[in-house]
Amino acid sequence: MNALAKSCLDIRDLSAVLPNGLRVLRSVSLSVQPGEVRALVGESGAGKTMIGKAVLGVLPPSVRIVEGDMLLEGEDLGKLQPKARRTLIGARTALIPQDPLTALNPSRRIGPQMTDRLVRILGWSGEKADTRIRQLLDEVQIRDPERVLKCYPHELSGGMRQRVLIAAAFAAEPRLIVADEPTTALDVTVQKQILRLIAQLQREHGTAILFVTHDLGVVAKISQKVSVLYAGKVVEEAETAALFAAPQHPYTRALMAATPRYTDPLASLKPVDEAVLAGLAAEIAAADQAWRHPHG
Amino acid sequence: MDEARISRHGSRARLWLAGGWLLIALLAAIFAPLVAPQDPLAQDLMLERLPPFWLSGAEPGYWLGTDSLGRDLLSRLIFGARIAFIVAFAAALAACLVGSTLGLIAGYFGGFADRIISRIVDVWMAFPPVLFAILLVAVLGTGLSSVIIAIAVIDWTRFCRVIRAETMGQSRMDYVENARIAGYGRIGIMLREVLPNVVPSIVALLSLEMGIAVIVEAILSFVNLSISTDDPTWGGIIAEGRLSIHQAWWVLVFPLVTLILTVLSFSQFGEGLRARFDPVLR
Ligand SMILES: Nc1ncnc2c1ncn2[C@@H]1O[C@H](COP(=O)(O)OP(=O)(O)O)[C@@H](O)[C@H]1O
Ligand SMILES: [Mg+2]
């Protein structure tokens, strides 16, 4: 219990449903320790983004949490008043989004967009926030901060926008950053740089990251722990090294077999094994049955 | 790249041409007593149906000729511009204020607020607008303020629909979610983050609506439902000109040209401004 209380993020048995009763999250449990990178891996539609949004308090109105708790540094988010929850989430978390274009306000210049947030969250003066932003832009290796601060988002390349967003995410020194497929929308050549940059800033700032990805290659590079998600259910969780050395769940093994290997282009064409998916479907159906009739 | 440059040049030219005409018309309207060569109401049967200046029989000082009562056409057009601009600004601003506010609320908050507002808009738009205007003026009585109220009451829905759709699109963008995560309140996000992104559309619509207001005012004057005084209005001059088309075509043609130029200029000016305001298009 003591060890759990110290978690940066602790999700316990979180379930969420759509208006039609479909479960998008199935008793998800997941924790991120301070300063650690936890990867959340799964195919598209598995519910990875939903988990991130649940943590950050921005689930779409149609998605309803029906059970479970979320603890941010030991504080139960469900027990807080909406306003207090917003303030807490605002102060302790940040998001590095999937699409760096729409995550920046198109009609506002980069500079004020970034400083505003610091002034708001930390109550700093505009001047202090400005200094801080410049320092962060330097850390994300933006060489001409003066120009970038005066730019509108569409005047920057995708890679530059993502650097700006990474700088913005780390600027307020959050305890937890949710990175939702932060390299997916970028050119392949830029992906590696951005990944390296996130890893470097994570190390220097000691920030815990919940790193959402569909790419096992990325998982291996960046994370210490990993949770494998399928259809809103965590099917396996392990230390990253252990997972790659000896995947336990058949789905994890199938996912690994389906992951493209750069040396063998044809390997990328292999779908996840059908028998494994059939087995999973049965497993999930059984779990749903048990969930609907907890006493019978 | 080249295409973008050409279209940017095009939009700049539009902005300047349209803006230029509107500025001239506006200045003429404001300083009407100073710039109008004649008293717009002065009748002189000796001077009736004088042709414009380049035709034989024209009199100096009556540049665009006179109507069948001998009143100077140019002076009447200049004084008519006063009413046209007052109606354009007042009616368009009122429609914009009401429509944009409701559109912003419906688009941003969605749900219940959106259902109510959208429903009202649907019902409202079921009325044919010109009939609606005539009906309203008949109820409110003729006069400048009735015309303004009628146009605003009818046309706020145009703003509401467009701004609602635009706001909805913006609200789905991740930057809004990002602001939520940072702890901003809903109304703060609506005003600080979303509103600036729909302002270009509001400006374009506002300008377009001014043109529409000018037309509606002209139509109402044409059917003699606008201003009951003797003040010259473009629609009123057109109505008079129609009666003497065979004897004095200029009394019909000049106000029509003025009207069309002004209305086109308002819409082009709006489009040009949108391109100017929008950081993505710029
Ligand atoms: N706004 C929404 N309303 C209802 N269902 C949604 C919404 N967004 C996504 N979903 C559904 O929730 C499930 C999980 O989606 P998501 O978390 O985006 O998956 P991932 O990020 O793993 O690709 C999907 O089945 C998707 O269809
Ligand atoms: Mg996703």
Side-chain angles (χ1 to χ4, degrees), chain B residues 72-87:
Chain B
D72 178 44
L73 187 57
L74 178 59
S75 302
R76 289 178 69 70
L77 287 178
I78 289 173
F79 273 87
R82 287 194 143 181
I83 287 171
F85 274 97
I86 290 173
V87 171

Side-chain angles (χ1 to χ4, degrees), chain B residues 11 33 59 82 94 97 109 113 116 136 138 160 169 184 198 206 212 231 239 242 260 270 272:
Chain B
S11 99
E59 284 282 333
R82 287 194 143 181
L97 215 63
F109 289 100
I116 300 264
L136 270 171
C160 192
Y184 285 92
V198 298
L206 186 63
I212 291 171
D231 290 330
R242 198 175 60 99
I260 291 168

